[in-house]
Amino acid sequence: MNLPKPLKIALLLLGIYAVSVLMFRFGRNGMEWDHALPISLVVTPVALLWAGIRDRINKKAATAGRRWRAKRQT
């Protein structure tokens, strides 16, 4: 199924928000809804930022590994 990119991003944001709210609400030391909802508004962009940073680092490491192997083989 091909979804437009803005819709994919919106669904991803909504999913991360919902999961974080549920984790905060029903976690080990669950907090009330009035605290879980706004805290999740802060957690959602931070989680996406860290995911983007992780992906960028992994891509750079893969590129560096390919360059290193190519240099060793010649």
Side-chain angles (χ1 to χ4, degrees):
M1 176 168 68
N2 283 336
L3 296 174
K5 190 170 183 173
L7 183 59
K8 286 181 187 178
I9 293 171
L11 289 174
L12 180 66
L13 284 171
L14 184 63
I16 291 174
Y17 179 73
V19 168
S20 64
V21 167
L22 293 175
M23 282 177 41
F24 283 128
R25 176 63 180 105
F26 297 112
R28 173 178 277 173
N29 297 326
M31 59 178 65
E32 295 299 320
W33 289 106
D34 59 342
H35 287 51
L37 292 170
I39 290 175
S40 293
L41 282 176
V42 174
V43 168
T44 300
V46 172
L48 287 175
L49 175 69
W50 279 110
I53 290 171
R54 183 196 65 214
D55 289 345
R56 195 172 91 219
I57 289 172
N58 284 342
K59 285 180 185 176
K60 285 184 178 182
T63 304
R66 280 193 295 274
R67 281 194 314 250
W68 183 82
R69 282 190 299 277
K71 186 174 21 171
R72 291 287 181 183
Q73 290 176 355
T74 58

